[in-house]
Amino acid sequence: MTRMSLFNSPLLLGFDHVERVLDRVAKSANDGYPPYNIEQTGEQSLRITLAVAGFGDEDLSVTVEENQLVIRGRRSEDTSERIFLHRGIATRQFQRAFVLAEGIEVDDAQLDNGLLNIDLSRPVSETLVKTINIRSKNAPSRPVLSDSMKQEASND
């Protein structure tokens, strides 16, 4: 069976990594444990909240790996002599990954009453315009001047 690519247009250059990210997201979307919420906490900020009842901060790790936020939970073995009549609180190990857009930064992670809150922000970036000089094939190349260099040259 042939899979159709969304990014096979000749007008979309350099988007092969986006297709790989979409494949990764589709594969990781199947597992529902642990449950989580994503909320917008400000114009440029988000919070991911995971329900991790039974896990302590020493059982959890939060890392950023190649534009992916990865949360792992692994409980140490329960060596107590407790006998459960019913065990409904899941404490199995897990790994939950979120693909981060370029520029998203992880600001903080806090465990509070069985909820792991991870705060994210997207700093406002400057829009950058670059002018590319066009030269004829036989003409010598000229240095490219930025807009600030052009202003300095015109002020002289």
Side-chain angles (χ1 to χ4, degrees):
M1 182 173 179
T2 306
R3 193 176 130 231
M4 187 174 140
S5 173
L6 299 172
F7 300 98
N8 62 359
S9 169
L11 301 176
L12 297 173
L13 302 174
F15 284 93
D16 51 331
H17 69 285
V18 174
E19 189 170 16
R20 286 192 302 271
V21 167
L22 291 174
D23 286 342
R24 219 175 345 178
V25 168
K27 289 176 186 173
S28 69
N30 297 335
D31 187 18
Y33 180 76
Y36 65 92
N37 291 335
I38 301 175
E39 59 184 302
Q40 185 168 356
T41 57
E43 194 171 312
Q44 297 294 324
S45 58
L46 300 169
R47 173 174 285 162
I48 299 173
T49 303
L50 286 90
V52 291
F55 288 88
D57 54 355
E58 66 280 351
D59 301 324
L60 299 167
S61 72
V62 178
T63 59
V64 176
E65 304 168 10
E66 297 181 11
N67 284 355
Q68 270 196 327
L69 172 64
V70 180
I71 301 104
R72 292 181 179 92
R74 180 179 207 131
R75 284 270 323 254
S76 53
E77 293 297 319
D78 188 6
T79 58
S80 67
E81 298 296 320
R82 298 185 290 176
I83 299 173
F84 291 95
L85 300 177
H86 173 75
R87 190 165 189 167
I89 300 173
T91 56
R92 67 180 190 255
Q93 70 179 13
F94 68 88
Q95 177 175 312
R96 171 72 71 185
F98 298 91
V99 178
L100 301 176
E102 193 171 312
I104 296 286
E105 296 177 2
V106 179
D107 296 329
D108 189 32
Q110 181 180 16
L111 185 61
D112 182 29
N113 292 324
L115 297 175
L116 177 61
N117 297 308
I118 303 169
D119 293 322
L120 309 169
S121 65
R122 179 192 308 252
V124 179
S125 61
E126 291 182 25
T127 51
L128 189 62
V129 177
K130 181 179 176 183
T131 303
I132 309 300
N133 287 330
I134 302 172
R135 59 184 177 89
S136 66
K137 188 173 183 178
N138 298 329
S141 62
R142 296 179 303 200
V144 177
L145 297 178
S146 68
D147 292 336
S148 61
M149 293 171 84
K150 288 178 186 176
Q151 286 179 344
E152 288 175 13
S154 66
N155 290 340
D156 291 339

